[in-house]
Amino acid sequence: MAQPRVVTIHYTLTNDQGEQLDSSRVEGREPLSYLEGAHNIISGLESALAEKATGDQLTVSIEPAEAYGEKNDELIQPVPRSAFEGVDVIEPGMQFQAQTPGGPQIVRVVEVTEETVTIDANHPLAGEKLHFDVEVISVREPSEEEVEHGHVH
Ligand code: ZN
């Protein structure tokens, strides 16, 4: 296996409709650094950048399977309204942190009735084809500690 690198990029992310979802190229934002092979970024973007060097620019489109996965209907579920005791107003679009066997997870409210609240635990970008416009700012070797921790310091 190739030696993992620390890659720093500027990126702009748009969805299939051409709407900008995220960008590191705005005031107050730093370029993004990730450690290869440590699942710091989505797999499709990491493979597109695997052979790239400082100064390279590219645009890449990534299918859901290589991004945040397909939408899973089983993750959309009604729960009793009583599960939200202490919350006065519950509206579609609100987000809550839920405790799940897999650890804390963000869920979004999609529908509210008198009896139930339907929540969606899919990643907000699940099912979306993503388009990245990327520039490689720098590439360097990771420190031993970074490799051990699985992230960039
Ligand atoms: Zn660390």
mmCIF file of all heavy atoms in Angstrom, residues 19-48:
data_model
loop_
_atom_site.group_PDB
_atom_site.id
_atom_site.type_symbol
_atom_site.label_atom_id
_atom_site.label_comp_id
_atom_site.label_asym_id
_atom_site.label_seq_id
_atom_site.Cartn_x
_atom_site.Cartn_y
_atom_site.Cartn_z
ATOM 1 N N GLU A 19 -26.927 23.880 -7.155
ATOM 2 C CA GLU A 19 -26.904 24.722 -5.954
ATOM 3 C C GLU A 19 -25.627 24.469 -5.168
ATOM 4 O O GLU A 19 -25.247 23.318 -4.965
ATOM 5 C CB GLU A 19 -28.103 24.403 -5.044
ATOM 6 C CG GLU A 19 -29.433 24.692 -5.659
ATOM 7 C CD GLU A 19 -30.581 23.974 -4.941
ATOM 8 O OE1 GLU A 19 -30.358 22.884 -4.355
ATOM 9 O OE2 GLU A 19 -31.682 24.505 -4.981
ATOM 10 N N GLN A 20 -24.997 25.549 -4.705
ATOM 11 C CA GLN A 20 -23.793 25.398 -3.894
ATOM 12 C C GLN A 20 -24.165 24.974 -2.481
ATOM 13 O O GLN A 20 -24.963 25.618 -1.814
ATOM 14 C CB GLN A 20 -23.023 26.716 -3.862
ATOM 15 C CG GLN A 20 -21.689 26.568 -3.157
ATOM 16 C CD GLN A 20 -20.860 27.843 -3.216
ATOM 17 O OE1 GLN A 20 -20.670 28.424 -4.272
ATOM 18 N NE2 GLN A 20 -20.376 28.277 -2.072
ATOM 19 N N LEU A 21 -23.594 23.851 -2.033
ATOM 20 C CA LEU A 21 -23.909 23.321 -0.706
ATOM 21 C C LEU A 21 -22.848 23.678 0.314
ATOM 22 O O LEU A 21 -23.124 23.807 1.500
ATOM 23 C CB LEU A 21 -24.029 21.794 -0.766
ATOM 24 C CG LEU A 21 -25.075 21.217 -1.717
ATOM 25 C CD1 LEU A 21 -24.997 19.703 -1.730
ATOM 26 C CD2 LEU A 21 -26.475 21.667 -1.326
ATOM 27 N N ASP A 22 -21.623 23.808 -0.153
ATOM 28 C CA ASP A 22 -20.524 24.042 0.781
ATOM 29 C C ASP A 22 -19.333 24.526 -0.024
ATOM 30 O O ASP A 22 -19.175 24.161 -1.196
ATOM 31 C CB ASP A 22 -20.178 22.726 1.491
ATOM 32 C CG ASP A 22 -19.222 22.930 2.656
ATOM 33 O OD1 ASP A 22 -19.067 24.084 3.106
ATOM 34 O OD2 ASP A 22 -18.628 21.933 3.108
ATOM 35 N N SER A 23 -18.502 25.340 0.628
ATOM 36 C CA SER A 23 -17.283 25.782 -0.035
ATOM 37 C C SER A 23 -16.262 26.185 1.007
ATOM 38 O O SER A 23 -16.598 26.812 2.005
ATOM 39 C CB SER A 23 -17.568 26.970 -0.951
ATOM 40 O OG SER A 23 -16.352 27.417 -1.529
ATOM 41 N N SER A 24 -15.012 25.808 0.752
ATOM 42 C CA SER A 24 -13.936 26.250 1.642
ATOM 43 C C SER A 24 -13.396 27.601 1.189
ATOM 44 O O SER A 24 -12.555 28.181 1.842
ATOM 45 C CB SER A 24 -12.804 25.216 1.637
ATOM 46 O OG SER A 24 -12.199 25.173 0.357
ATOM 47 N N ARG A 25 -13.914 28.090 0.031
ATOM 48 C CA ARG A 25 -13.364 29.310 -0.549
ATOM 49 C C ARG A 25 -14.151 30.548 -0.114
ATOM 50 O O ARG A 25 -14.389 31.436 -0.907
ATOM 51 C CB ARG A 25 -13.397 29.222 -2.073
ATOM 52 C CG ARG A 25 -12.514 28.126 -2.664
ATOM 53 C CD ARG A 25 -12.695 28.096 -4.170
ATOM 54 N NE ARG A 25 -11.753 27.214 -4.835
ATOM 55 C CZ ARG A 25 -12.080 26.031 -5.363
ATOM 56 N NH1 ARG A 25 -13.310 25.592 -5.267
ATOM 57 N NH2 ARG A 25 -11.164 25.309 -5.970
ATOM 58 N N VAL A 26 -14.612 30.548 1.096
ATOM 59 C CA VAL A 26 -15.322 31.731 1.591
ATOM 60 C C VAL A 26 -14.519 32.334 2.735
ATOM 61 O O VAL A 26 -13.700 31.652 3.358
ATOM 62 C CB VAL A 26 -16.766 31.390 2.065
ATOM 63 C CG1 VAL A 26 -17.608 30.960 0.891
ATOM 64 C CG2 VAL A 26 -16.761 30.334 3.140
ATOM 65 N N GLU A 27 -14.771 33.611 2.994
ATOM 66 C CA GLU A 27 -14.021 34.308 4.021
ATOM 67 C C GLU A 27 -14.152 33.593 5.356
ATOM 68 O O GLU A 27 -15.230 33.137 5.731
ATOM 69 C CB GLU A 27 -14.571 35.737 4.148
ATOM 70 C CG GLU A 27 -13.480 36.760 4.270
ATOM 71 C CD GLU A 27 -14.064 38.143 4.485
ATOM 72 O OE1 GLU A 27 -14.810 38.606 3.607
ATOM 73 O OE2 GLU A 27 -13.786 38.720 5.549
ATOM 74 N N GLY A 28 -13.053 33.493 6.063
ATOM 75 C CA GLY A 28 -13.081 32.870 7.378
ATOM 76 C C GLY A 28 -12.918 31.367 7.350
ATOM 77 O O GLY A 28 -12.820 30.740 8.391
ATOM 78 N N ARG A 29 -12.896 30.772 6.157
ATOM 79 C CA ARG A 29 -12.719 29.318 6.074
ATOM 80 C C ARG A 29 -11.287 28.991 5.701
ATOM 81 O O ARG A 29 -10.662 29.676 4.909
ATOM 82 C CB ARG A 29 -13.658 28.719 5.011
ATOM 83 C CG ARG A 29 -15.117 28.700 5.401
ATOM 84 C CD ARG A 29 -15.478 27.544 6.318
ATOM 85 N NE ARG A 29 -15.262 26.215 5.749
ATOM 86 C CZ ARG A 29 -16.176 25.520 5.083
ATOM 87 N NH1 ARG A 29 -17.359 26.027 4.856
ATOM 88 N NH2 ARG A 29 -15.910 24.308 4.637
ATOM 89 N N GLU A 30 -10.796 27.912 6.255
ATOM 90 C CA GLU A 30 -9.476 27.398 5.921
ATOM 91 C C GLU A 30 -9.655 26.314 4.863
ATOM 92 O O GLU A 30 -10.704 25.677 4.809
ATOM 93 C CB GLU A 30 -8.848 26.753 7.166
ATOM 94 C CG GLU A 30 -8.632 27.681 8.332
ATOM 95 C CD GLU A 30 -7.424 28.575 8.115
ATOM 96 O OE1 GLU A 30 -6.481 28.135 7.443
ATOM 97 O OE2 GLU A 30 -7.449 29.719 8.607
ATOM 98 N N PRO A 31 -8.624 26.069 4.058
ATOM 99 C CA PRO A 31 -8.701 24.883 3.193
ATOM 100 C C PRO A 31 -8.814 23.620 4.045
ATOM 101 O O PRO A 31 -8.458 23.621 5.223
ATOM 102 C CB PRO A 31 -7.398 24.924 2.397
ATOM 103 C CG PRO A 31 -6.518 25.922 3.051
ATOM 104 C CD PRO A 31 -7.382 26.817 3.882
ATOM 105 N N LEU A 32 -9.322 22.563 3.460
ATOM 106 C CA LEU A 32 -9.563 21.309 4.172
ATOM 107 C C LEU A 32 -8.354 20.385 4.051
ATOM 108 O O LEU A 32 -7.851 20.159 2.955
ATOM 109 C CB LEU A 32 -10.791 20.627 3.557
ATOM 110 C CG LEU A 32 -11.102 19.215 4.056
ATOM 111 C CD1 LEU A 32 -11.751 19.270 5.426
ATOM 112 C CD2 LEU A 32 -12.003 18.481 3.070
ATOM 113 N N SER A 33 -7.893 19.849 5.184
ATOM 114 C CA SER A 33 -6.806 18.865 5.164
ATOM 115 C C SER A 33 -7.347 17.508 5.580
ATOM 116 O O SER A 33 -8.148 17.412 6.502
ATOM 117 C CB SER A 33 -5.702 19.265 6.146
ATOM 118 O OG SER A 33 -5.086 20.457 5.722
ATOM 119 N N TYR A 34 -6.898 16.477 4.885
ATOM 120 C CA TYR A 34 -7.315 15.124 5.276
ATOM 121 C C TYR A 34 -6.138 14.173 5.157
ATOM 122 O O TYR A 34 -5.186 14.413 4.417
ATOM 123 C CB TYR A 34 -8.502 14.647 4.422
ATOM 124 C CG TYR A 34 -8.169 14.420 2.967
ATOM 125 C CD1 TYR A 34 -7.762 13.174 2.509
ATOM 126 C CD2 TYR A 34 -8.255 15.462 2.058
ATOM 127 C CE1 TYR A 34 -7.443 12.967 1.174
ATOM 128 C CE2 TYR A 34 -7.936 15.279 0.725
ATOM 129 C CZ TYR A 34 -7.530 14.022 0.282
ATOM 130 O OH TYR A 34 -7.207 13.832 -1.032
ATOM 131 N N LEU A 35 -6.239 13.094 5.911
ATOM 132 C CA LEU A 35 -5.234 12.035 5.892
ATOM 133 C C LEU A 35 -5.763 10.913 5.012
ATOM 134 O O LEU A 35 -6.868 10.409 5.239
ATOM 135 C CB LEU A 35 -4.989 11.525 7.323
ATOM 136 C CG LEU A 35 -4.064 10.309 7.475
ATOM 137 C CD1 LEU A 35 -2.645 10.639 7.023
ATOM 138 C CD2 LEU A 35 -4.062 9.848 8.936
ATOM 139 N N GLU A 36 -4.999 10.523 4.019
ATOM 140 C CA GLU A 36 -5.444 9.461 3.116
ATOM 141 C C GLU A 36 -5.625 8.143 3.865
ATOM 142 O O GLU A 36 -4.866 7.822 4.777
ATOM 143 C CB GLU A 36 -4.433 9.278 1.981
ATOM 144 C CG GLU A 36 -4.455 10.423 1.002
ATOM 145 C CD GLU A 36 -3.445 10.240 -0.136
ATOM 146 O OE1 GLU A 36 -2.445 9.509 0.062
ATOM 147 O OE2 GLU A 36 -3.659 10.829 -1.192
ATOM 148 N N GLY A 37 -6.636 7.384 3.455
ATOM 149 C CA GLY A 37 -6.858 6.054 4.013
ATOM 150 C C GLY A 37 -7.498 6.047 5.388
ATOM 151 O O GLY A 37 -7.640 4.989 5.991
ATOM 152 N N ALA A 38 -7.895 7.214 5.890
ATOM 153 C CA ALA A 38 -8.434 7.281 7.250
ATOM 154 C C ALA A 38 -9.923 7.661 7.254
ATOM 155 O O ALA A 38 -10.481 7.983 8.294
ATOM 156 C CB ALA A 38 -7.631 8.278 8.086
ATOM 157 N N HIS A 39 -10.554 7.604 6.096
ATOM 158 C CA HIS A 39 -11.987 7.911 5.977
ATOM 159 C C HIS A 39 -12.316 9.310 6.498
ATOM 160 O O HIS A 39 -13.378 9.519 7.079
ATOM 161 C CB HIS A 39 -12.846 6.866 6.709
ATOM 162 C CG HIS A 39 -12.558 5.469 6.253
ATOM 163 N ND1 HIS A 39 -12.944 4.990 5.020
ATOM 164 C CD2 HIS A 39 -11.878 4.463 6.845
ATOM 165 C CE1 HIS A 39 -12.526 3.740 4.892
ATOM 166 N NE2 HIS A 39 -11.866 3.404 5.984
ATOM 167 N N ASN A 40 -11.391 10.256 6.299
ATOM 168 C CA ASN A 40 -11.660 11.632 6.720
ATOM 169 C C ASN A 40 -12.640 12.319 5.769
ATOM 170 O O ASN A 40 -13.370 13.225 6.166
ATOM 171 C CB ASN A 40 -10.370 12.462 6.757
ATOM 172 C CG ASN A 40 -9.389 12.031 7.847
ATOM 173 O OD1 ASN A 40 -8.241 12.435 7.816
ATOM 174 N ND2 ASN A 40 -9.811 11.229 8.815
ATOM 175 N N ILE A 41 -12.613 11.925 4.493
ATOM 176 C CA ILE A 41 -13.528 12.515 3.497
ATOM 177 C C ILE A 41 -14.204 11.380 2.744
ATOM 178 O O ILE A 41 -13.794 10.219 2.846
ATOM 179 C CB ILE A 41 -12.786 13.451 2.501
ATOM 180 C CG1 ILE A 41 -11.738 12.672 1.690
ATOM 181 C CG2 ILE A 41 -12.124 14.614 3.246
ATOM 182 C CD1 ILE A 41 -11.134 13.480 0.537
ATOM 183 N N ILE A 42 -15.235 11.706 1.960
ATOM 184 C CA ILE A 42 -15.959 10.661 1.236
ATOM 185 C C ILE A 42 -15.029 9.947 0.258
ATOM 186 O O ILE A 42 -14.121 10.550 -0.320
ATOM 187 C CB ILE A 42 -17.201 11.227 0.509
ATOM 188 C CG1 ILE A 42 -16.821 12.328 -0.471
ATOM 189 C CG2 ILE A 42 -18.223 11.716 1.515
ATOM 190 C CD1 ILE A 42 -17.970 12.759 -1.354
ATOM 191 N N SER A 43 -15.289 8.650 0.074
ATOM 192 C CA SER A 43 -14.349 7.802 -0.672
ATOM 193 C C SER A 43 -14.200 8.244 -2.118
ATOM 194 O O SER A 43 -13.104 8.197 -2.676
ATOM 195 C CB SER A 43 -14.801 6.343 -0.600
ATOM 196 O OG SER A 43 -16.074 6.187 -1.207
ATOM 197 N N GLY A 44 -15.286 8.697 -2.749
ATOM 198 C CA GLY A 44 -15.210 9.101 -4.158
ATOM 199 C C GLY A 44 -14.281 10.273 -4.374
ATOM 200 O O GLY A 44 -13.556 10.345 -5.368
ATOM 201 N N LEU A 45 -14.281 11.206 -3.427
ATOM 202 C CA LEU A 45 -13.407 12.369 -3.561
ATOM 203 C C LEU A 45 -11.963 11.965 -3.295
ATOM 204 O O LEU A 45 -11.046 12.386 -4.007
ATOM 205 C CB LEU A 45 -13.853 13.476 -2.593
ATOM 206 C CG LEU A 45 -13.102 14.795 -2.702
ATOM 207 C CD1 LEU A 45 -13.183 15.369 -4.112
ATOM 208 C CD2 LEU A 45 -13.650 15.800 -1.688
ATOM 209 N N GLU A 46 -11.764 11.123 -2.295
ATOM 210 C CA GLU A 46 -10.401 10.686 -1.998
ATOM 211 C C GLU A 46 -9.793 9.927 -3.184
ATOM 212 O O GLU A 46 -8.635 10.171 -3.545
ATOM 213 C CB GLU A 46 -10.374 9.814 -0.734
ATOM 214 C CG GLU A 46 -8.952 9.412 -0.379
ATOM 215 C CD GLU A 46 -8.801 8.883 1.040
ATOM 216 O OE1 GLU A 46 -9.549 9.310 1.930
ATOM 217 O OE2 GLU A 46 -7.919 8.037 1.237
ATOM 218 N N SER A 47 -10.554 9.045 -3.825
ATOM 219 C CA SER A 47 -9.952 8.329 -4.963
ATOM 220 C C SER A 47 -9.693 9.264 -6.141
ATOM 221 O O SER A 47 -8.709 9.080 -6.856
ATOM 222 C CB SER A 47 -10.764 7.098 -5.396
ATOM 223 O OG SER A 47 -12.083 7.167 -5.025
ATOM 224 N N ALA A 48 -10.555 10.256 -6.344
ATOM 225 C CA ALA A 48 -10.325 11.194 -7.448
ATOM 226 C C ALA A 48 -9.040 11.994 -7.243
ATOM 227 O O ALA A 48 -8.421 12.454 -8.198
ATOM 228 C CB ALA A 48 -11.517 12.131 -7.592
#
